[in-house]
Amino acid sequence: MYKMIVCDLDETLMNDDGSLSDKNAKAIQAATAKGVHFVVNSGRSYTSFQNDLETMHLRDQPNEYSISYNGGLVLENKNNKPLIINAMPFDVAKAVFEVGAADHNAATHVYTQNKLYIYNPTSDDSNYLKTRGVSYEVMDEPEFNQFKDQNIMKVIMALPTVDERKAMRDAVLNKVDASKLAVTFSSGRYVEFNPAGIDKGSASVQLGKLLDIKPEEIIAAGDNSNDLPMLKVVGLPVSVANGIDTVKAAAKYVTKANNNQDALAEVIDKFVLK
């Protein structure tokens, strides 16, 4: 019996327009009514999906949980109480940021524990964030020392092409020891940098230990490369139909439906409610 579902948001649970379907929401409610934990496991900040948790009937609920920042932060939904904080070392985060800020085509995001800052925001990226309910503060100058006394969860860059995102990854790894970073790609627009050893999979296992849930009792659903770490450590890794090839290859089940066709409801109906 599966006791927990960890699920990516964008391009997995959510429709392309950023909305949560009624069918997916009701399936999640049915799963939690059976005692199965449904855990949003997103690269985004927890602040951006509170309205979606409300629709799932999980907002501000005790003994229900969320994972943000690709594993950087694990919360209990009640009062958004931090349980596990996997912050980046300041010097590592600063070095990553400086590479991003030097590229005038990149929108460079700095996620602190509770807030997003963007240097050089671009219209395409800002419009995408708006559909996801993501708010941010613009950094007018590339001054990173303002974050010296804050928890920095991750640094990411939005770039329009795959080649540019790969070039950014290589530029960062040319400056920062690769052993200090976890690097992933997401949403067909971001290259993401977390501290080494921290990802959606490590956080899923950490939360499972807190709840006395074994990895083999967890379902993970995703679509992109930042979801691979959680697919690789759980009992039932799932790719939605629109998942990239490497995600499908890592999955034990690939949904018939894509993210715009209630794919998560398909998973819950098949593996939790049957």
Side-chain angles (χ1 to χ4, degrees):
M1 176 182 173
Y2 296 107
K3 298 180 179 179
M4 185 163 75
I5 303 167
V6 290
C7 185
D8 173 56
L9 282 180
D10 298 313
E11 292 81 50
T12 298
L13 177 63
M14 314 302 285
N15 294 324
D16 285 345
D17 64 4
S19 64
L20 173 65
S21 74
D22 184 62
K23 189 172 182 179
N24 276 344
K26 288 183 175 177
I28 291 166
Q29 293 164 23
T32 56
K34 285 193 67 173
V36 177
H37 293 286
F38 184 84
V39 180
V40 169
N41 195 344
S42 178
R44 289 201 247 145
S45 166
Y46 68 94
T47 61
S48 72
F49 53 75
Q50 294 302 303
N51 289 340
D52 299 312
L53 290 180
E54 183 79 38
T55 305
M56 300 174 204
H57 296 176
L58 295 175
R59 184 174 183 172
D60 203 34
Q61 292 300 304
N63 304 313
E64 298 294 351
Y65 307 89
S66 303
I67 299 171
S68 295
Y69 310 120
N70 289 331
L73 183 66
V74 181
L75 299 173
E76 182 177 12
N77 292 348
K78 182 66 175 177
N79 298 323
N80 289 319
K81 177 184 176 182
L83 301 179
I84 301 168
I85 300 172
N86 297 310
M88 295 185 78
F90 176 80
D91 59 334
V92 173
K94 183 178 181 181
V96 173
F97 171 81
E98 288 174 348
V99 176
D103 186 335
H104 299 300
N105 292 321
T108 301
H109 299 207
V110 179
Y111 284 86
T112 65
Q113 187 169 326
N114 299 307
K115 196 167 183 178
L116 167 61
Y117 299 81
I118 301 181
Y119 178 69
N120 189 39
T122 60
S123 58
D124 178 67
D125 183 40
S126 297
N127 289 335
Y128 177 80
L129 294 175
K130 185 176 180 179
T131 67
R132 269 63 187 169
V134 177
S135 61
Y136 61 88
E137 183 172 314
V138 176
M139 295 176 64
D140 294 321
E141 299 293 336
E143 178 46 63
F144 200 79
N145 287 333
Q146 64 180 296
F147 305 116
K148 185 73 174 178
D149 298 320
Q150 299 186 53
N151 286 326
I152 304 163
M153 311 314 300
K154 67 174 186 174
V155 178
I156 76 175
M157 296 79 164
L159 284 159
T161 69
V162 172
D163 287 344
E164 286 175 291
R165 294 189 289 273
K166 288 182 177 179
M168 178 63 73
R169 173 199 60 193
D170 295 343
V172 168
L173 296 182
N174 190 51
K175 183 174 181 180
V176 182
D177 184 347
S179 68
K180 296 181 179 181
L181 292 171
V183 187
T184 55
F185 298 90
S186 69
S187 297
R189 62 184 59 240
Y190 298 119
V191 55
E192 310 209 8
F193 300 91
N194 282 81
I198 302 305
D199 52 49
K200 290 186 176 186
S202 63
S204 298
V205 172
Q206 286 177 317
L207 178 58
K209 286 180 179 178
L210 286 179
L211 302 179
D212 197 26
I213 295 174
K214 301 180 180 69
E216 56 265 31
E217 297 172 322
I218 303 174
I219 299 172
D223 74 286
N224 217 311
S225 72
N226 65 331
D227 300 315
L228 282 168
M230 68 176 177
L231 268 62
K232 291 177 178 178
V233 297
V234 302
L236 180 60
V238 173
S239 171
V240 290
N242 53 289
I244 63 174
D245 289 344
T246 52
V247 169
K248 289 179 177 177
K252 291 182 180 177
Y253 181 75
V254 179
T255 62
K256 296 177 177 63
N258 65 34
N259 65 300
N260 294 308
Q261 300 167 326
D262 311 306
L264 218 284
E266 177 186 329
V267 175
I268 290 173
D269 288 344
K270 184 175 181 65
F271 296 105
V272 177
L273 303 180
K274 63 178 181 177

